[in-house]
Amino acid sequence: MTRTSVAIIGAGASGAAVAWRLASAGVDVVCLERGGWLEQGKSPSLGHDWERALQTRFHPNPNIRRAPDDDSVITDDTDIQPAQFNGVGGSLLRWGAHFPRLRPSDFRVRSLDGVADDWPLSYADLEPYYDLNDAMTGVAGLRGDPGNPPRTAERDPPLPLGPGGERLAAGFDKLDWHWWPSDAAIVTRARPGRAPCNNCGPCGVGCPRGSRASGDNTYWPAALAAGARLETGVRVTRLMPSPDGRRVAAIAYRDAQGRDHRLEADQIVAAANGLGTARLLLASTDRRHPQGLANSSGLVGRRLMHHPTAIVTGVFDARLDGHKGPFACALYCQQFYETDRARGALRGLQLQMLRGSGPVATALGGYMARLPWGSGHHREFTRQFAHSATLTVTVEDLPELDNRVTLDARRNDATGVPLARLAYRVGENSGRLLNFGIERASDALRAAGAIDIIVNPLSRAAGFHFLGTARAGD
């Protein structure tokens, strides 16, 4: 048994930042992480098989990836599949690095629209920490967006829009819709240990130049230098309450050699995302907490949100070479971000440009519909490959009680902890926003000169935002 002042579960975006902040203040910090260090300098993006890597060992869905440090997730009752990654840096090792902030209205949804909940803090409360996070992370972008609060932190020059981005920008201008170059957690000026982005792409299998930010190349070097301790390859099995049952006092975990340990701490931070944190709280039961720790309200695991996403692709006559460069960071449009009740739905959406798929993904369908096999395959491949640009329609998701993370009653992981089960259905409000957004994305692509529009009305693989399930108290 060991003891520390603060124990953190998960070395991803949140866990890394907390470890750095506390260790820098002289606090004794220990972080436990399921995965290990990813050697980004040996990223598959340097080889010809990067698309195969995206569909195998770097696949976002743990049920498909099946890495040794993954657990299966039961997904027979969900519209959207999980997308997450274990390792030092967490799912940032697999993300697109698009880096927008919440808007002030996002903190006051109950007051403004009568749904969901107001946050117990405001955008102004968080603004200095947004700036601090930007400085630690390294952000490329353009200041002066009139549609958002000003960005005061220093920024690198924005990433180039590329031919597809320039066409979409012209389309938005034609419609008189507001757009702006993406804030990207990708440096375009050199930093210690990080070279500027050279637009090689793809970004989803690690970044050999260190241009794209992830916790392992931003917060963790500074946290470790400040004295934080990080244990990798460990499985947290349960949280343990204090003798009076009023707080969590210890963590039980199993190390990479199969030995069981107990870590006591004055404070425990569960930073295992909306899936892992809820699963761990629900699985940590005893006589006084039959529903799991911190769950007297019965809300742990409930109100799961995903930001449902549709994908609308335009095919162009001109060659756009969209498979080159950061796939998710070019520009975005928040013309329809705020509530307009004339749409028949509350809250809004964001249109975000994705560049085109690589050759293998294009042949297999990529963002678009699967290409025909046999007769016509080569003709359709030639028409689409390097000739497409995509807009994602990412909509606000409302907290609904029946969308939730629960524990599977029959299946456990290797340590005996029940597997997580997802129950999620796209709500009526989100469905209306998706339909509205698909129409607007199609309008923008046509205005940009697309000769064909291909629609995926719901990306079932886009479970990359695990929101809710363990909401903050007052």
Side-chain angles (χ1 to χ4, degrees):
M1 182 175 68
T2 56
R3 182 170 187 82
T4 185
S5 295
V6 177
I8 302 169
I9 303 167
S14 300
V18 172
W20 167 75
R21 185 70 164 174
L22 294 179
S24 298
V27 177
D28 184 33
V29 177
V30 175
C31 181
L32 306 176
E33 165 58 39
R34 170 72 66 86
W37 289 88
L38 178 67
E39 293 187 74
Q40 295 205 54
K42 298 180 179 179
S43 165
S45 66
L46 297 174
H48 295 299
D49 65 340
W50 61 269
E51 286 191 278
R52 183 175 185 275
L54 277 173
Q55 299 303 319
T56 54
R57 68 184 190 276
F58 280 90
H59 198 285
N61 187 336
N63 292 339
I64 296 174
R65 187 172 61 243
R66 294 185 178 276
D69 51 18
D70 286 327
D71 287 329
S72 297
V73 181
I74 311 304
T75 59
D76 53 12
D77 190 28
T78 179
D79 290 342
I80 296 177
Q81 296 293 310
Q84 57 181 6
F85 204 85
N86 290 319
V88 180
S91 295
L92 298 186
L93 296 168
R94 184 61 184 76
W95 73 322
H98 186 64
F99 215 51
R101 296 184 181 184
L102 295 178
R103 285 188 172 194
S105 63
D106 290 313
F107 297 83
R108 303 181 57 243
V109 174
R110 169 65 62 176
S111 296
L112 293 172
D113 296 317
V115 292
D117 297 298
D118 288 352
W119 289 46
L121 40 76
S122 67
Y123 179 91
D125 293 328
L126 280 188
E127 188 169 23
Y129 303 102
Y130 269 129
D131 290 343
L132 175 59
N133 188 43
D134 285 358
M136 288 294 295
T137 299
V139 178
L142 185 65
R143 293 188 186 185
D145 180 1
N148 274 278
R151 305 288 200 263
T152 56
E154 181 65 27
R155 267 164 168 61
D156 287 0
L159 293 161
L161 297 181
E166 291 171 359
R167 282 180 171 261
L168 275 176
F172 287 131
D173 286 343
K174 186 175 181 180
L175 295 169
D176 198 25
W177 293 355
H178 176 63
W179 66 273
W180 202 255
S182 293
D183 279 353
I186 299 174
V187 296
T188 55
R189 289 191 290 230
R191 284 185 163 216
R194 298 175 65 190
C197 179
N198 65 353
N199 292 298
C200 64
C203 301
V205 290
C207 178
R209 297 171 60 84
S211 311
R212 188 201 62 177
S214 45
D216 57 329
N217 64 15
T218 56
Y219 282 103
W220 272 115
L224 294 172
R229 290 175 286 161
L230 173 61
E231 295 190 37
T232 61
V234 304
R235 289 174 173 261
V236 174
T237 55
R238 63 172 293 158
L239 302 174
M240 307 174 77
S242 59
D244 62 8
R246 296 175 61 87
R247 53 178 292 273
V248 180
I251 300 171
Y253 69 95
R254 183 169 295 176
D255 67 20
Q257 289 71 45
R259 297 171 299 205
D260 290 323
H261 301 265
R262 174 186 167 106
L263 175 64
E264 292 189 349
D266 299 324
Q267 301 287 337
I268 292 174
V269 178
N273 86 22
L275 176 65
T277 293
R279 177 193 179 197
L280 185 57
L281 290 170
L282 291 171
S284 300
T285 60
D286 64 11
R287 176 178 53 82
R288 289 172 297 193
H289 306 92
Q291 298 185 87
L293 293 182
N295 195 24
S296 60
S297 66
L299 289 179
V300 170
R302 291 186 179 271
R303 295 175 170 175
L304 170 66
M305 294 165 281
H306 274 308
H307 286 157
T309 297
I311 297 177
V312 185
T313 297
V315 180
F316 293 78
D317 280 329
R319 187 176 176 96
L320 304 180
D321 284 335
H323 57 293
K324 301 176 181 178
F327 70 90
C329 297
L331 59 82
Y332 64 101
C333 170
Q334 293 186 338
Q335 179 76 21
F336 309 103
Y337 192 93
E338 306 290 356
T339 291
D340 180 351
R341 293 177 184 270
R343 300 176 201 144
L346 300 172
R347 304 307 298 153
L349 58 94
Q350 174 178 276
L351 303 178
Q352 175 187 343
M353 179 185 165
L354 298 183
R355 303 178 198 266
S357 299
V360 173
T362 301
L364 295 176
Y367 305 135
M368 301 168 277
R370 183 178 291 274
L371 270 64
W373 291 110
S375 177
H377 177 85
H378 287 110
R379 181 178 63 253
E380 188 63 18
F381 176 86
T382 301
R383 188 177 80 96
Q384 291 188 19
F385 176 62
H387 288 76
S388 69
T390 293
L391 287 171
T392 63
V393 180
T394 303
V395 307
E396 183 62 281
D397 213 355
L398 298 180
E400 301 184 19
L401 283 177
D402 290 336
N403 285 340
R404 60 190 301 198
V405 175
T406 60
L407 301 179
D408 190 80
R410 294 175 295 174
R411 285 164 281 193
N412 299 338
D413 69 11
T415 64
V417 177
L419 297 178
R421 170 180 285 276
L422 295 182
Y424 177 87
R425 292 287 179 259
V426 174
E428 181 179 353
N429 191 79
S430 296
R432 291 177 178 175
L433 288 174
L434 284 169
N435 291 335
F436 175 83
I438 289 168
E439 293 175 357
R440 302 292 76 75
S442 301
D443 291 342
L445 288 161
R446 291 190 188 98
I451 59 173
D452 190 16
I453 305 292
I454 303 169
V455 175
N456 177 352
L458 178 67
S459 176
R460 298 188 181 276
F464 34 64
H465 294 173
F466 271 97
L467 311 171
T469 76
R471 62 156 283 183
D474 295 329

